[in-house]
Amino acid sequence: FAVGGVERVRGTLLMLGPLPLPSQQVPVDVLCAQLRMREFSLLAAEEPYRDIFDPQLRPLTKPVRCETEPVRQFTLPEEKLLVIGLKRYGASRFDEIQRQLLPTKSMYELKERLKLRSSRRAAQDQPNPILEWKVHRLGTQFGEGERALIQRVVDERGAQPSTWERISTTLLPAYSIRDIREYYQTILAPEPPPAPPP
């Protein structure tokens, strides 16, 4: 490469960030999960190289499609392990939870399970340690005065994004918008109406 070509290669590699080498034999789903978090277009990456890259040299293999992974079923002991991981590592370290406690599940599956089972709309006909953990965590995080304040503001303004922002920025600055929204939706919000019979 000429000097300019080397700089363009370096810029593209920086845009991609660190990726596993082919010799590491990383599973396709893991590689897709890494790429899914980045905004990267192969055509856009090739654009700076039009004067030095021959499109005829591109491999004629079908690209791997990074489709949404199917979420496998969780057993009750696996949900309890997920709760142990959430208590130990927090709700942002799914990599550690997977590595230490649930290596048979992908990080995507762990995140989706937490989202699905921590909602008040989750099925109530079976034990739900994830929702119990979330209710306990949020219930001990807010005091009675904060609870009454959040309820009063929601009654006045409605349960909408601007309400959570107002509470967080002017009334309870120690709590994030997400904390306040989750607390209301998990603890204070009215029970959703039962699903109509089929």
Side-chain angles (χ1 to χ4, degrees):
F1 287 122
V3 175
V6 171
E7 288 303 316
R8 283 177 278 180
V9 170
R10 185 176 292 118
T12 300
L13 292 175
L14 287 173
M15 179 175 65
L16 264 175
L19 285 174
L21 298 172
S23 59
Q24 292 176 284
Q25 297 183 349
V26 176
V28 170
D29 60 334
V30 174
L31 184 58
C32 286
Q34 292 179 10
L35 289 172
R36 198 179 291 119
M37 292 186 265
R38 312 171 192 194
E39 296 195 9
F40 176 72
S41 164
L42 182 59
L43 293 177
E46 288 179 3
E47 185 63 35
Y49 308 106
R50 291 210 176 272
D51 56 334
I52 55 174
F53 176 72
D54 183 359
Q56 299 297 323
L57 299 177
R58 185 183 298 147
L60 297 177
T61 55
K62 288 184 69 175
V64 176
R65 295 190 53 149
C66 293
E67 298 177 347
T68 302
E69 299 176 40
V71 178
R72 291 169 286 185
Q73 292 293 321
F74 276 65
T75 63
L76 182 58
E78 286 174 330
E79 287 194 341
K80 290 181 178 179
L81 282 174
L82 176 55
V83 170
I84 290 171
L86 291 167
K87 290 177 180 177
R88 185 178 299 171
Y89 303 110
S92 61
R93 294 303 309 275
F94 289 99
D95 55 339
E96 283 297 318
I97 296 173
Q98 180 204 32
R99 190 167 66 86
Q100 300 287 348
L101 299 169
L102 289 163
T104 61
K105 304 293 184 185
S106 69
M107 286 193 291
Y108 174 81
E109 288 175 313
L110 297 178
K111 292 176 184 178
E112 287 299 305
R113 194 63 178 180
L114 175 61
K115 186 190 304 182
L116 175 69
R117 296 287 281 158
S118 63
S119 166
R120 292 181 71 180
R121 294 182 174 83
Q124 302 297 323
D125 58 346
Q126 53 187 321
N128 189 343
I130 296 174
L131 182 59
E132 291 171 9
W133 164 79
K134 185 174 181 182
V135 168
H136 179 266
R137 179 176 66 87
L138 292 173
T140 56
Q141 188 175 2
F142 290 81
E144 281 301 317
E146 294 162 332
R147 176 190 183 111
L149 177 62
I150 293 171
Q151 187 65 65
R152 178 173 59 80
V153 177
V154 170
D155 290 343
E156 293 172 359
R157 301 171 59 96
Q160 54 189 342
S162 61
T163 302
W164 317 133
E165 184 177 1
R166 173 174 168 74
I167 295 172
S168 176
T169 55
T170 62
L171 302 173
L172 296 174
Y175 299 100
S176 68
I177 293 173
R178 178 181 176 180
D179 288 339
I180 293 166
R181 183 185 68 242
E182 283 192 348
Y183 177 71
Y184 176 80
Q185 292 174 344
T186 306
I187 306 290
L188 301 179
E191 290 285 345

